[in-house]
Amino acid sequence: MSETTSATAGNPAPSAAKTVTLTDNSTGKTYTFPVLEGTVGPRVIDIRKLYAETGYFTYDPGFTSTGSCQSQITFIDGDEGVLLHRGYAIEDLAERCDFPEVAYLLLYGELPTREQLTKFETTITRHTMVHEQLSSLFRGFRRDAHPMAVMCGVLGAMSAFYHDSTDIDDPTQRMIASHRLVAKIPTIAAMAYKYSVGQPFVYPRNDLDYAANFLSMCFAVPCERYQPNPIVAKAMDRILILHADHEQNASTSTVRLAGSSGANPFACIAAGIASLWGPAHGGANEAVLKMLTEIGKPERIPEFVRRAKDRNDPFRLMGFGHRVYKNFDPRAQVMRKTCHEVLGELGIEDEPLLNIAMELERIALSDDYFIEKKLYPNVDFYSGIILKAIGFPTTMFTVLFAVARTVGWIAQWKEMIEDPSQKIGRPRQLYTGEPRRVFVSLEKRG
Ligand code: CMC
């Protein structure tokens, strides 16, 4: 493959200004494909006509070299540890904004003015209650159901409750669905938690901000008002900001793929939640705590580190490594600081599991295997520890990730629906099964 670099940089529109040439060695034929450039980040080869022109598909399991869409929402430079939302660095957003501001930025493309923010927060606050009939749905689940299973079911069921915001071709309905999802997801998550512990559901409180209201719905009981600790509420808000969007990860790609068929937004978010659940993705924060519990005491850490390095052992250190960040995860750096603030505030720095976590962090950051493979603690390593300190059971960790990511999912879904080049997502495959064979009747098989 050769690349011509004589012309000026192009833009995301197909352009012959820059191209790559592919030579098929079996026929000697050459084919030329346009190169597209975004505002920052690596260039991409536009292979939309590859099959039509050459008869070849590409093969890229895990999509490690595939850009599936154009997007203006989030940019990641994994080598440099950069994460930008609409051009703003995550460190600035986490330090200087609250979650609704970031949600507005993701949905509308700009940071809100004071007036826009007030209006947005009012809209979100006024949509936090869920249809009363939706609470009956919870009662159909076993009390010991995993809250992520409940979330998948209840989110999918939302399309049966909010018919007036399922027409994806109507921009107003799309925006109403987006607001409803951002507003109601904390309520539904808190209900899933309350149901699992056998306590009555707690209604939202309009006098609290987004994060504090969520904590109140989780930890208040009808006989006792909940007054959130400001450091804990701030940490919750930061966890939400740091998980709000992350480009075309597995769950976001799932939301886009589900939405590409024209499915309604609530169904798409339910699909995203299902994808998030796995331990290689959002389920990692829960897996971190399970792993720390399994390790049990600091003396056993070397044994687990040894297992993580053993190629014949499938065990991995949960909360370490990232597909995209190969230097450091900028979210993890903010989360680490918040983690220590929360532990200090709550006076639980000596908790045994947290001691194991801190020792594991120290070893992994100084061990050659982890340094060479660029395996750093990721955001889920610290978020699990903070959430445990706040008092959430481990089964709720991934649910909290879903609460935060809903705004990213819905912003990406809206962007896709509004993109004129959008098509139904339909990857192809490298078939390695039997070629056509002669049918054998049942009597003759054996
Ligand atoms: N512990 C030990 N070794 C690891 C780990 C780990 N956590 N992660 C990767 N490696 C090794 C892996 O064995 C491989 O070694 P080798 O080259 O000798 O075969 C090498 O590092 C590259 O790993 P990979 O599986 O090719 O990398 P990937 O980009 O496909 O996987 C990952 C990324 C996040 C799935 C993986 O690092 C992992 O399983 N981490 C643990 C789970 C986790 O914390 N996930 C949360 C990710 S952050 C939140 C989110 O995005 O949802």
Side-chain angles (χ1 to χ4, degrees):
M1 194 168 71
S2 61
E3 185 184 344
T4 62
T5 51
S6 52
T8 53
N11 60 46
S15 149
K18 267 192 179 174
T19 56
V20 292
T21 303
L22 183 74
T23 304
D24 182 345
N25 291 333
S26 61
T27 61
K29 278 191 181 170
T30 60
Y31 305 92
T32 299
F33 297 97
V35 169
L36 309 180
E37 293 201 41
T39 40
V40 266
R43 290 165 296 172
V44 303
I45 305 168
D46 180 351
I47 55 158
R48 279 175 286 187
K49 295 200 176 130
L50 180 77
Y51 179 61
E53 289 182 7
T54 68
Y56 288 108
F57 292 131
T58 56
Y59 179 60
D60 185 18
F63 308 125
T64 52
S65 301
T66 297
S68 60
C69 60
Q70 283 182 31
S71 182
Q72 301 180 355
I73 300 175
T74 292
F75 172 75
I76 301 174
D77 182 336
D79 295 325
E80 297 298 323
V82 171
L83 168 60
L84 309 178
H85 292 319
R86 305 282 192 185
Y88 295 105
I90 190 67
E91 294 87 346
D92 287 334
L93 296 173
E95 198 58 50
R96 300 164 69 177
C97 292
D98 61 9
F99 179 71
E101 261 178 285
V102 176
Y104 184 99
L105 175 70
L106 292 172
L107 282 171
Y108 294 97
E110 295 296 338
L111 283 169
T113 60
R114 168 70 51 206
E115 197 186 331
Q116 286 166 333
L117 182 61
T118 305
K119 192 165 167 232
F120 180 66
E121 282 177 331
T122 307
T123 306
I124 297 300
T125 306
R126 299 256 164 87
H127 279 92
T128 46
M129 274 174 49
V130 294
H131 194 293
E132 197 59 23
Q133 194 64 21
L134 201 69
S135 34
S136 327
L137 203 71
F138 284 84
R139 299 195 168 86
F141 287 99
R142 286 169 56 136
R143 291 270 176 192
D144 61 355
H146 194 290
M148 279 299 275
V150 176
M151 294 294 286
C152 287
V154 175
L155 259 294
M158 277 181 85
S159 40
F161 284 85
Y162 301 104
H163 300 142
D164 57 345
S165 52
T166 51
D167 179 357
I168 65 161
D169 296 322
D170 178 344
T172 308
Q173 292 204 25
R174 288 200 296 271
M175 193 44 86
I176 293 172
S178 310
H179 290 162
R180 278 186 169 145
L181 279 157
V182 174
K184 293 181 202 306
I185 192 88
T187 314
I188 293 170
M191 289 169 87
Y193 171 58
K194 285 299 197 190
Y195 188 73
S196 73
V197 289
Q199 291 181 5
F201 299 137
V202 172
Y203 284 107
R205 270 176 57 190
N206 287 0
D207 61 320
L208 295 176
D209 65 31
Y210 192 89
N213 173 50
F214 175 58
L215 291 171
S216 160
M217 289 190 292
C218 290
F219 297 123
V221 282
C223 44
E224 205 165 310
R225 212 170 155 80
Y226 173 80
Q227 211 37 57
N229 173 322
I231 299 225
V232 170
K234 182 78 204 152
M236 188 71 246
D237 190 74
R238 266 210 189 130
I239 290 177
L240 296 176
I241 293 176
L242 294 174
H243 287 85
D245 192 51
H246 212 226
E247 205 226 54
Q248 307 311 320
N249 54 81
S251 57
T252 303
S253 298
T254 303
V255 169
R256 280 187 178 255
L257 196 56
S260 76
S261 72
N264 75 68
F266 304 105
C268 296
I269 300 300
I273 290 179
S275 170
L276 185 75
W277 194 355
H281 190 9
N285 52 14
E286 180 177 347
V288 169
L289 259 288
K290 278 191 186 147
M291 177 190 75
L292 296 176
T293 310
E294 201 191 334
I295 295 176
K297 44 188 178 185
E299 304 85 76
R300 294 191 67 204
I301 294 178
E303 173 196 335
F304 281 80
V305 171
R306 205 166 38 247
R307 284 185 60 196
K309 295 198 243 178
D310 181 354
R311 298 198 76 164
N312 299 317
D313 189 329
F315 173 77
R316 285 185 169 201
L317 279 188
M318 286 293 130
F320 287 81
H322 198 275
R323 167 60 65 80
V324 181
Y325 295 119
K326 298 301 178 194
N327 188 343
F328 65 92
D329 178 343
R331 302 168 303 168
Q333 294 203 325
V334 180
M335 202 66 104
R336 181 177 197 274
K337 190 168 155 253
T338 307
C339 180
H340 288 285
E341 275 167 21
V342 171
L343 300 187
E345 171 69 15
L346 299 179
I348 49 174
E349 280 154 315
D350 275 342
E351 215 263 346
L353 286 192
L354 303 177
N355 285 339
I356 296 172
M358 294 305 127
E359 179 60 7
L360 201 56
E361 179 200 40
R362 194 192 60 76
I363 293 178
L365 289 176
S366 53
D367 187 294
D368 284 349
Y369 173 90
F370 293 92
I371 294 170
E372 271 161 30
K373 292 197 184 298
K374 301 179 187 260
L375 298 170
Y376 298 88
N378 57 46
V379 67
D380 288 326
F381 182 71
Y382 297 108
S383 65
I385 298 168
I386 302 176
L387 294 173
K388 176 169 167 37
I390 295 178
F392 283 106
T394 48
T395 51
M396 277 297 288
F397 291 4
T398 314
V399 173
L400 293 164
F401 194 155
V403 170
R405 187 55 60 85
T406 293
V407 68
W409 287 330
I410 201 67
Q412 299 265 357
W413 172 83
K414 253 173 79 325
E415 182 180 65
M416 180 195 68
I417 300 289
E418 289 160 15
D419 179 351
S421 67
Q422 187 265 329
K423 283 170 184 272
I424 184 168
R426 178 45 171 104
R428 302 303 298 264
Q429 62 173 8
L430 175 64
Y431 177 68
T432 55
E434 293 286 346
R436 188 178 188 116
R437 37 185 179 165
V438 177
F439 181 79
V440 183
S441 60
L442 185 58
E443 304 75 53
K444 293 191 178 151
R445 283 174 226 160

